[in-house]
Amino acid sequence: MIDLFPVVGPLLRRLDPESAHAVTLGLLRTGLTPSMAGADDPMLRMRLWGLDFPNPVGMAAGFDKNAEVIAPLFRLGFGAVEVGTVTPQPQPGNPRPRCFRLPEQQAMINRYGFNSHGHQAMAARLAAYHYRYRRFRRPGVLGVNLGRNKDSADSVADSVADYVAGVYQLAALADYLVINVSSPNTPGLRTLQDRGPLTELLVRVLAARDDLCLKRPPPLLLKIAPDLADEDLAAVAEVGLAVGIDGMIVTNTTVSRSGVDHLPLAVEAGGLSGRPLFERSTRVLGSLYRLTAGKLPLVGVGGIASPADAYAKIRAGASLIQLYTALVYQGPQLVREIKRQLPEFLKRDGFTSLAESVGAESVGAGHFQAPG
Ligand SMILES: Cc1cc2nc3c(=O)[nH]c(=O)nc-3n(C[C@H](O)[C@H](O)[C@H](O)COP(=O)(O)O)c2cc1C
């Protein structure tokens, strides 16, 4: 396998981030990128919601918003790929420029605002993907991240209708679904994390999923922000457990500028991702693991830039992890490196599988057992 990133990466970073992203998608679409998906160490296997993840490293939402490069991403070695966020109707998102690199901190700020080709285009691409690649073997787990249109948001009911439409349109084509209420770039979206609206939203999307009577109904995960106050996080955990969602993705980007406030680009509006997000999002992850007593599988995302970061997320309570921003700076080699070093960390600490180490930091060792 030849790693082209040392040559291609610096060239890409001479372009503005959105153009670099478009070129990267174009390169991946050619299918000529080398395969980096060797057999994964059996220690890294994860079985969750009846799905088999060959390894815990996932591509986070926002990279392949329109499901254009699923197979090439699996070839880079990801155990899961999450496409989206997809909105019901196509929409352009915010005006450019809307994405900024902060290389000093291996960070980014984006305010894309859900630029999306819409449900119909996504459904067609997912159907084509399943037809071409999945009839024979399953390279990994495919998630679909759902959002809502910018201008269908006058009431909670309108927002809920957008997510319900996503479930009806795309549930049969996804291994798991994500309800994304945590992007800072769609006005009002994050208020759907409040107890009342959140309960209504989750009850309705779960009912829609069950209404479809699919042979394999996809688990429903909630993706949350890293900026929730302690009491709001407790409410989210309580609602999630009460209504019976299947897991949470922790976290989206932050509106905080802590760690980058000295940099000129910190004034740009949008969500901050990458290294400066790591501590905040890992703290939220650990809190949520404790609040849910380890009963709800969690996906840890936010600022992972090394194998040690990935392991720290798992020990804080993540059963799976995802990355985005660090790939911009380090390339896909990071996926391989995480998969190479994780088994070494696990053996060093006396674990025989990844599953055993989940939440070790939050509760001492192994899975948290609720008292009684
Ligand atoms: C350019 C960019 C676009 C993103 N778009 C989405 C999106 O459409 N939906 C979503 O749920 N998260 C989106 N995210 C958030 C990521 O999925 C992830 O939660 C966040 O960036 C933290 O991970 P990281 O520090 O590894 O990048 C986006 C992130 C970036 C950098």
Side-chain angles (χ1 to χ4, degrees):
M1 185 274 314
I2 310 161
D3 182 15
L4 297 174
F5 191 78
V7 180
V8 176
L11 292 175
L12 286 172
R13 283 195 298 278
R14 290 167 83 162
L15 300 173
D16 73 89
E18 186 161 353
S19 303
H21 185 243
V23 171
T24 306
L25 289 181
L27 286 173
L28 287 169
R29 259 196 307 263
T30 63
L32 298 175
T33 46
S35 172
M36 298 167 87
D40 292 324
D41 190 313
M43 278 185 106
L44 296 180
R45 282 187 205 140
M46 259 288 172
R47 189 170 167 80
L48 281 175
W49 313 297
L51 299 170
D52 287 310
F53 294 77
N55 71 71
V57 188
M59 179 76 240
F63 180 84
D64 189 7
K65 283 178 186 276
N66 295 299
E68 295 171 286
V69 290
I70 302 169
L73 285 174
F74 279 125
R75 275 201 298 278
L76 294 181
F78 288 105
V81 170
E82 188 173 311
V83 297
T85 294
V86 60
T87 57
Q89 301 304 321
Q91 64 174 32
N94 290 321
R96 289 171 80 157
R98 50 193 179 174
C99 190
F100 307 88
R101 285 187 211 103
L102 291 77
E104 302 86 343
Q105 298 292 333
Q106 288 204 25
M108 290 177 85
I109 291 174
N110 91 82
R111 53 168 180 270
Y112 274 100
F114 290 169
N115 49 319
S116 172
H117 294 176
H119 284 168
Q120 229 179 344
M122 166 84 69
R125 292 208 185 100
L126 293 179
Y129 168 74
H130 286 290
Y131 183 75
R132 286 174 64 184
Y133 295 100
R134 298 268 300 237
R135 286 181 301 165
F136 309 110
R137 66 186 190 97
R138 301 170 77 81
V141 173
L142 177 62
V144 176
N145 181 306
L146 303 174
R148 61 138 230 243
N149 279 115
K150 188 180 174 196
D151 29 319
S152 57
D154 287 344
S155 66
V156 172
D158 287 344
S159 296
V160 170
D162 276 12
Y163 290 95
V164 166
V167 175
Y168 280 126
Q169 286 280 326
L170 300 167
L173 296 163
D175 291 326
Y176 72 85
L177 288 175
V178 183
I179 304 300
N180 178 14
V181 287
S182 47
S183 164
N185 303 314
T186 295
L189 189 82
R190 306 215 293 185
T191 58
L192 291 171
Q193 293 173 118
D194 298 346
R195 184 186 288 271
L198 185 64
T199 308
E200 184 181 339
L201 170 66
L202 294 180
V203 165
R204 291 278 311 280
V205 290
L206 283 165
R209 192 251 335 243
D210 296 341
D211 201 28
L212 286 166
C213 294
L214 295 171
K215 201 166 111 203
R216 276 192 294 183
L220 260 170
L221 279 57
L222 178 72
K223 184 164 179 179
I224 65 165
D227 305 316
L228 293 167
D230 287 349
E231 61 273 24
D232 297 330
L233 192 64
V236 166
E238 209 183 301
V239 170
L241 286 173
V243 303
I245 58 162
D246 300 287
M248 294 203 204
I249 302 189
V250 192
T251 66
N252 213 312
T253 56
T254 178
V255 292
S256 155
R257 291 293 179 265
S258 162
V260 298
D261 38 14
H262 58 292
L263 300 173
L265 284 176
V267 298
E268 293 293 345
L272 173 71
S273 59
R275 274 225 158 100
L277 173 61
F278 180 79
E279 216 181 291
R280 175 182 287 258
S281 73
T282 308
R283 207 175 334 114
V284 173
L285 175 69
S287 299
L288 206 55
Y289 186 78
R290 285 185 292 272
L291 286 164
T292 55
K295 288 180 192 152
L296 213 53
L298 304 176
V299 182
V301 50
I304 296 175
S306 70
D309 293 342
Y311 189 45
K313 290 274 189 208
I314 292 162
R315 291 181 62 102
S319 295
L320 301 166
I321 54 149
Q322 293 180 337
L323 357 147
Y324 187 159
T325 304
L327 295 169
V328 170
Y329 296 103
Q330 299 184 45
Q333 190 63 29
L334 179 61
V335 179
R336 254 168 90 95
E337 219 22 60
I338 292 174
K339 294 197 296 181
R340 192 179 68 74
Q341 287 194 35
L342 267 183
E344 292 171 14
F345 293 149
L346 292 170
K347 282 178 210 148
R348 180 197 67 195
D349 294 346
F351 298 114
T352 57
S353 71
L354 184 85
E356 260 178 33
S357 72
V358 172
E361 202 65 48
S362 296
V363 291
H367 267 293
F368 184 86
Q369 294 295 315

